[in-house]
Amino acid sequence: MSSTASGKNGTWRNWGGNVAARPAREVAPASVEELAAAIRRAAEDGLKVKAAGSGHSFTSIAATDGVLIRPQLLTGIRHIDREAGTVTVEAGTPLKRLNVALAREGLSLANMGDIMEQTVSGATSTGTHGTGRDSASIAAQIKALELVTADGSVLTCSEKGTDEERAVFAAARIGLGALGVVTAITFAVEPIFLLSAREEPMPFARVLAEFDELWTENEHFEFYWFPHTGSTNTKRNNRSAGPEKPVGQLAGWFEDELLSNGVFQVAQWVGRAVPATIPAIAQVSSKALSARTYTDIPYKVFTSPRRVRFVEMEYAVPREAVVETLRELKAMIERSGLRVSFPVEVRTAPADDITLSTASGRDSAYIAVHMVKGTPFQRYFTSAERIFTAHEGRPHWGKIHTRDAEYFAGVYPRFEEFTALRDRLDPDRLFQNDYLRRVLGA
């Protein structure tokens, strides 16, 4: 599937293949002016408007039967300000292209997620994040934003503007597409640096017992736990003075392509055909990845290819609740008779000040559960979600969940601040769709 995540006969599909929509028309504006005109025309025709990036969300956040805005012509770097340490990029720029372009200029983002297929606006609008003790999500690295609102006017905002601009900035960095269509983003960047990655297997019990130390002692700590086993694969990324020691091409192909994607793909096929074999396969998978260390520029350490298609649910729980939450998740899987062939991913983020960020106002830990595309995931995800919500978990806006506005009003102290701003910027709900109606209320 192409990165535009489109399909035949006017049907739009997301990357995970679990969401489809048939927009009345698609528009790919080549300028902010063309986008503003398309928004005004949609309003005149009584059609809703949604912008879709690369379709990497597993929710229907970008689905519409109205006008679908495609941002692929709004790409590239607008401006680099070395003195201020910022770069301004067009909203449709894929993270992959941004990372490569910045590296050429000797610059880098401080932190990023592990997938870089998304557009910058799609990734930030849904709260995409990596893992970090001190450095937060991609949206938390935004310094200014430009967006076209429901009346077709162009609004720029930053933390330095008027009260209204600051209110917009607090919300629009993770705006869910509810406040307008983002056209450009200014990110904080810094001179490119090296990261040393240390990947090694570690018993699940030890990771839980030592979680606080592992988190405290590393700038970026994450781990994957393989259900039905007592094994994890841990990854610690820390800044390094060098020298550069990238993963060799052959070793990289063997570890990242053959083991992480190829063997994994075969394991998923076998697991789907014969679910009873999954625990045995998990034992093998959990031991397939051996320890390794390497040092490289950030995007080559933070990101990795994901060839196996999956669906995902991820919740942010308060960081201090993560060990207890994981113990409950393990007990639930063992009790349930479920066969889970995909590892559980655990990451962290510091508290931030973005209204609807999953880390808004609290240090957070992320627990992500996955199922391979096409396998029934409801029972597993429902049981996991019950555990996450008992800990006041906040679901990732772009991943599967069943929460609604009433729930969010309880777990986001500033929820009403967001909905009041939406009332001001989009009173007629031009940017509404079924998903936003559920999560923000009508």
Side-chain angles (χ1 to χ4, degrees):
M1 198 186 327
S2 72
S3 64
T4 50
S6 217
K8 296 187 189 78
N9 59 30
T11 303
W12 176 88
R13 288 183 198 283
N14 68 337
W15 181 86
N18 63 317
V19 177
R22 297 203 64 165
R25 61 175 182 249
E26 288 194 21
V27 184
S31 67
V32 177
E33 293 72 30
E34 276 183 30
L35 173 62
I39 287 173
R40 283 193 292 267
R41 195 160 62 247
E44 283 161 22
D45 296 344
L47 293 170
K48 303 289 187 196
V49 177
K50 287 271 59 126
S54 56
H56 257 269
S57 287
F58 299 100
T59 58
S60 53
I61 191 165
T64 185
D65 56 7
V67 176
L68 187 69
I69 305 285
R70 295 293 210 160
Q72 66 256 37
L73 301 179
L74 296 172
T75 62
I77 292 180
R78 259 193 210 180
H79 179 61
I80 293 174
D81 185 336
R82 288 180 187 275
E83 212 165 297
T86 61
V87 60
T88 302
V89 279
E90 304 279 344
T93 310
L95 284 167
K96 185 184 270 177
R97 281 180 51 193
L98 174 63
N99 287 331
V100 171
L102 286 176
R104 259 191 223 128
E105 297 285 345
L107 299 167
S108 177
L109 293 168
N111 198 359
M112 56 195 82
D114 62 355
I115 296 176
M116 53 175 181
E117 308 304 321
Q118 310 101 312
T119 59
V120 292
S121 58
T124 54
S125 295
T126 53
T128 297
H129 60 90
T131 190
R133 181 189 61 204
D134 314 302
S135 55
S137 71
I138 307 179
Q141 298 168 65
I142 295 176
K143 289 292 175 198
L145 264 183
E146 175 187 272
L147 67 161
V148 178
T149 55
D151 61 3
S153 61
V154 180
L155 182 66
T156 54
C157 60
S158 71
E159 56 202 346
K160 293 192 175 78
T162 62
D163 286 355
E164 173 70 2
E165 282 167 8
R166 285 206 302 275
V168 174
F169 183 68
R173 283 175 286 167
I174 299 180
L176 317 184
L179 306 175
V181 177
V182 176
T183 47
I185 300 175
T186 301
F187 289 106
V189 289
E190 55 180 295
I192 202 160
F193 52 93
L194 292 173
L195 280 174
S196 274
R198 177 176 163 198
E199 297 175 8
E200 62 178 335
M202 195 180 284
F204 185 58
R206 186 183 151 197
V207 175
L208 294 194
E210 297 175 14
F211 183 81
D212 283 346
E213 293 95 286
L214 288 162
W215 172 80
T216 307
E217 289 164 13
N218 296 284
E219 290 170 68
H220 308 274
F221 172 68
E222 65 187 298
F223 70 93
Y224 292 88
W225 165 56
F226 296 82
H228 313 296
T229 78
S231 309
T232 76
N233 205 43
T234 62
K235 185 172 179 181
R236 292 170 248 198
N237 299 332
N238 289 288
R239 292 195 184 214
S240 163
E244 217 167 303
K245 276 197 308 210
V247 177
Q249 252 180 325
L250 187 61
W253 177 83
F254 182 73
E255 288 158 348
D256 295 327
E257 289 300 336
L258 185 67
L259 291 182
S260 295
N261 285 301
V263 170
F264 198 51
Q265 180 74 72
V266 172
Q268 299 302 324
W269 286 333
V270 175
R272 271 178 78 174
V274 194
T277 60
I278 284 172
I281 293 170
Q283 293 288 353
V284 175
S285 297
S286 70
K287 294 184 172 55
L289 296 167
S290 52
R292 62 175 182 172
T293 57
Y294 52 97
T295 302
D296 214 329
I297 60 174
Y299 82 84
K300 294 186 177 178
V301 174
F302 283 132
T303 69
S304 48
R306 289 279 181 273
R307 312 257 186 249
V308 180
R309 302 265 166 162
F310 53 83
V311 289
E312 179 178 1
M313 166 183 280
E314 179 184 67
Y315 267 75
V317 296
R319 201 188 65 241
E320 59 275 11
V322 67
V323 170
E324 176 56 28
T325 308
L326 285 164
R327 286 202 176 107
E328 290 170 21
L329 186 67
K330 183 173 190 284
M332 178 276 288
I333 291 171
E334 286 166 1
R335 215 173 41 235
S336 66
L338 283 163
R339 294 283 176 254
V340 179
S341 62
F342 227 101
V344 173
E345 182 182 24
V346 181
R347 296 177 288 174
T348 68
D352 64 40
D353 63 349
I354 303 170
T355 320
L356 291 187
S357 164
T358 43
S360 185
R362 73 183 191 196
D363 290 346
S364 300
Y366 295 95
I367 303 174
V369 296
H370 310 71
M371 277 289 206
V372 73
K373 179 183 168 182
T375 46
F377 59 83
Q378 279 81 1
R379 192 160 75 91
Y380 176 36
F381 283 14
T382 302
S383 304
E385 190 172 41
R386 206 169 288 137
I387 293 166
F388 300 149
T389 54
H391 291 280
E392 296 197 341
R394 298 168 177 170
H396 188 302
W397 296 107
K399 298 177 186 178
I400 291 168
H401 68 88
T402 65
R403 303 296 90 190
D404 60 13
E406 190 185 353
Y407 178 84
F408 292 124
V411 295
Y412 283 102
R414 298 166 65 187
F415 187 74
E416 280 169 19
E417 201 180 301
F418 189 97
T419 54
L421 178 68
R422 180 185 182 219
D423 288 341
R424 292 205 298 280
L425 291 180
D426 187 14
D428 301 326
R429 300 290 186 263
L430 182 68
F431 302 115
Q432 176 89 285
N433 64 2
D434 290 344
Y435 180 77
L436 290 184
R437 193 176 291 113
R438 170 163 72 97
V439 300
L440 296 176

